[in-house]
Amino acid sequence: MNKTNKDWNAQICAIRDAQDQAAFAELFAHFAPRVKGFLMKSGADASLAEECTQEVMATLWRKAHMFDPSRASVSTWIFTIARNRKIDALRKQRRPEPEDLPWGPEAEPDQAEAIGLKQETEQLAVAIKELPEKQRILVEQAYFGDLSHSEIAEITGLPLGTIKSRIRLALERLRHAMK
Amino acid sequence: MNMTDTIKHHLTPEILMAYSAGTLPEAFGLIVASHVSMCDACRAELDSYDAVGGVVMEDAGTADVSSDALAATMKLIATGDNAPKEPRRSTGTLPSPLQDYVGGDLSAINWKPLGMGVKQAILPTSKAATARLLYIPAGAAVPDHGHQGTEMTLVLQGAFVDEEDRFARGDVEVANEDMEHTPIADMGEDCICLAVTDAPLKFNAFIPRLAQRFLRI
């Protein structure tokens, strides 16, 4: 297993269950430079990006109990934390967030779903790498925040269907477990 | 929030992707967060765009963090508030993101009459786009209007019909500038919607232009 395909779920669980600082240091070594790189490409200067990166990683520690591996890979989840911090720091507007989904010991994430989602996320990564360069740059720019909606509308053809249906299954199971 | 399995009209992929990227004006972010709170299909689609964001972040290249960054982060963790937060979940009519702006559920809305029983409440968002709640009595028409720019309408209570279709709780109508329509609230129940525009509406009748400026509609 190479480093970019590493499954970080075990580290998140170790933080959640045992406040494991060594596991956190591993996550930090991999993700902190990526979060900082993402924030700088999104328009933050180096010192703001450094400050926000530390806050993003601290949020990861605090919210480890909220992580749901059947709905998101660790890199997806850290992206959403970094994206939220980016909006707060760079755009200075309120940031409406969807309601939380119910989560608790009665609805433990399903291992098979988590593994399936991870594989599909890896396929997505490959698919993005293999996009024609012009399209790939459009996708990247959409997430760095300098693209109009009509340009985003041109982006098509990513294999998001399987990820979407798997996440839907996880949500349905979650809703069902609540009833 | 009770799920509505009957939602037929969803958010577009473009707007979900822009929400995931964090590039929407606040008012559009509010309507996305509100609809996603009511709609598992769009929540799943939003999660899949977040997965694209995760891949982009993984591959975007790294920037060296300062040598004491890990120690500084551990200090942030040690000094911060680490108590687990209660999940935000609405039991009322308005989903949690809207309740955050209204300061409560339906009874907390500060309605301003527009005439003929129609009422509105403008929500405080950044100026790039406008979010407002609309109250349309059962059977009444929303004044005939065309659009400049994009208008999105999320039904929160009751339903409305226009020339195109019927929209009930949880449904989103996306209208662009080519569209002139006259939504009419269903007879059964007064209709409450969240309407978001990135430009002022052009009312064709009913409210003179001058009033439009004062009412910010």
Side-chain angles (χ1 to χ4, degrees):
Chain A
M1 198 179 281
N2 71 36
K3 196 152 192 190
T4 48
N5 283 343
K6 187 164 172 170
D7 178 354
W8 299 98
N9 292 347
Q11 280 80 356
I12 300 279
C13 290
I15 293 166
R16 181 191 65 196
D17 300 335
Q19 288 80 51
D20 186 331
Q21 295 198 13
F24 183 73
E26 278 183 68
L27 278 168
F28 193 95
H30 180 76
F31 283 105
R34 286 171 170 78
V35 169
K36 187 173 178 182
F38 168 73
L39 292 169
M40 289 181 71
K41 283 201 174 170
S42 302
D45 64 32
S47 72
L48 180 63
E50 174 79 27
E51 184 190 325
C52 290
T53 298
Q54 293 177 15
E55 286 162 2
V56 167
M57 298 309 290
T59 302
L60 179 157
W61 176 285
R62 290 189 190 114
K63 292 197 168 171
H65 65 286
M66 310 262 291
F67 174 65
D68 173 0
S70 68
R71 273 185 60 214
S73 72
V74 172
S75 64
T76 300
W77 183 56
I78 295 177
F79 161 75
T80 62
I81 298 172
R83 182 263 326 270
N84 291 348
R85 192 68 195 88
K86 174 181 104 171
I87 297 173
D88 293 342
L90 294 179
R91 308 200 67 203
K92 296 188 169 59
Q93 62 180 29
R94 282 175 76 182
R95 182 171 43 74
E97 278 187 274
E99 284 182 16
D100 296 315
L101 288 168
W103 198 245
E106 74 285 358
E108 274 296 315
D110 185 282
Q111 275 299 317
E113 277 173 19
I115 290 164
L117 182 71
K118 182 178 166 298
Q119 287 168 347
E120 280 151 16
T121 307
E122 282 162 15
Q123 285 162 12
L124 175 69
V126 171
I128 289 176
K129 280 203 185 76
E130 288 175 352
L131 280 177
E133 193 185 354
K134 201 176 154 205
Q135 276 189 33
R136 188 174 46 76
I137 290 170
L138 272 178
V139 172
E140 286 170 1
Q141 283 176 346
Y143 285 85
F144 299 132
D146 51 3
L147 203 61
S148 74
H149 293 180
S150 61
E151 284 171 306
I152 294 170
E154 289 173 18
I155 301 164
T156 48
L158 285 178
L160 290 170
T162 50
I163 290 194
K164 187 177 142 190
S165 42
R166 184 170 297 281
I167 293 165
R168 273 195 88 158
L169 281 175
L171 291 172
E172 276 164 24
R173 193 181 43 74
L174 194 56
R175 302 270 181 215
H176 187 73
M178 280 185 72
K179 281 177 186 162
Chain B
M1 185 100 269
N2 290 325
M3 283 296 111
T4 313
D5 294 333
T6 52
I7 294 176
K8 289 196 198 77
H9 303 277
H10 297 274
L11 295 166
T12 62
E14 295 77 26
I15 199 147
L16 283 167
M17 189 178 191
Y19 181 90
S20 172
T23 52
L24 285 177
E26 187 181 342
F28 283 95
L30 178 58
I31 201 166
V32 171
S34 298
H35 177 80
V36 165
S37 297
M38 303 164 89
C39 178
D40 274 358
C42 287
R43 190 187 285 265
E45 188 160 345
L46 177 60
D47 284 359
S48 70
Y49 287 114
D50 288 346
V52 177
V55 170
V56 168
M57 190 186 75
E58 276 274 350
D59 294 343
T62 59
D64 289 340
V65 292
S66 65
S67 54
D68 67 343
L70 177 59
T73 303
M74 292 315 300
K75 202 170 163 189
L76 274 181
I77 291 165
T79 56
D81 170 17
N82 292 327
K85 299 270 183 294
E86 279 295 303
R88 278 159 72 245
R89 245 192 300 150
S90 165
T91 52
T93 301
L94 301 179
S96 301
L98 261 176
Q99 293 206 14
D100 293 345
Y101 278 76
V102 168
D105 203 21
L106 294 184
S107 60
I109 300 172
N110 184 16
W111 293 112
K112 300 274 191 289
L114 289 179
M116 310 287 281
V118 177
K119 297 183 280 188
Q120 75 164 355
I122 294 174
L123 302 175
T125 63
S126 69
K127 287 204 173 70
T130 304
R132 65 196 198 291
L133 291 161
L134 276 177
Y135 185 103
I136 307 151
V142 181
D144 182 23
H145 59 288
H147 304 89
Q148 298 167 314
T150 302
E151 181 192 36
M152 296 177 60
T153 309
L154 169 67
V155 180
L156 301 159
Q157 175 189 294
F160 70 80
V161 287
D162 69 5
E163 291 81 348
E164 303 283 318
D165 221 329
R166 181 174 188 275
F167 297 82
R169 178 172 164 80
D171 282 327
V172 184
E173 185 190 48
V174 182
N176 60 30
E177 38 204 292
D178 307 329
M179 211 167 142
E180 285 207 19
H181 67 163
T182 312
I184 298 169
D186 259 14
M187 285 311 293
E189 194 179 4
D190 293 347
C191 180
I192 297 175
C193 304
L194 171 65
V196 173
T197 48
D198 58 4
L201 294 185
K202 298 179 286 187
F203 281 86
N204 296 336
F206 196 80
I207 296 173
R209 298 246 154 214
L210 191 61
Q212 228 188 88
R213 270 169 54 199
F214 284 110
L215 294 169
R216 287 181 62 202
I217 55 178

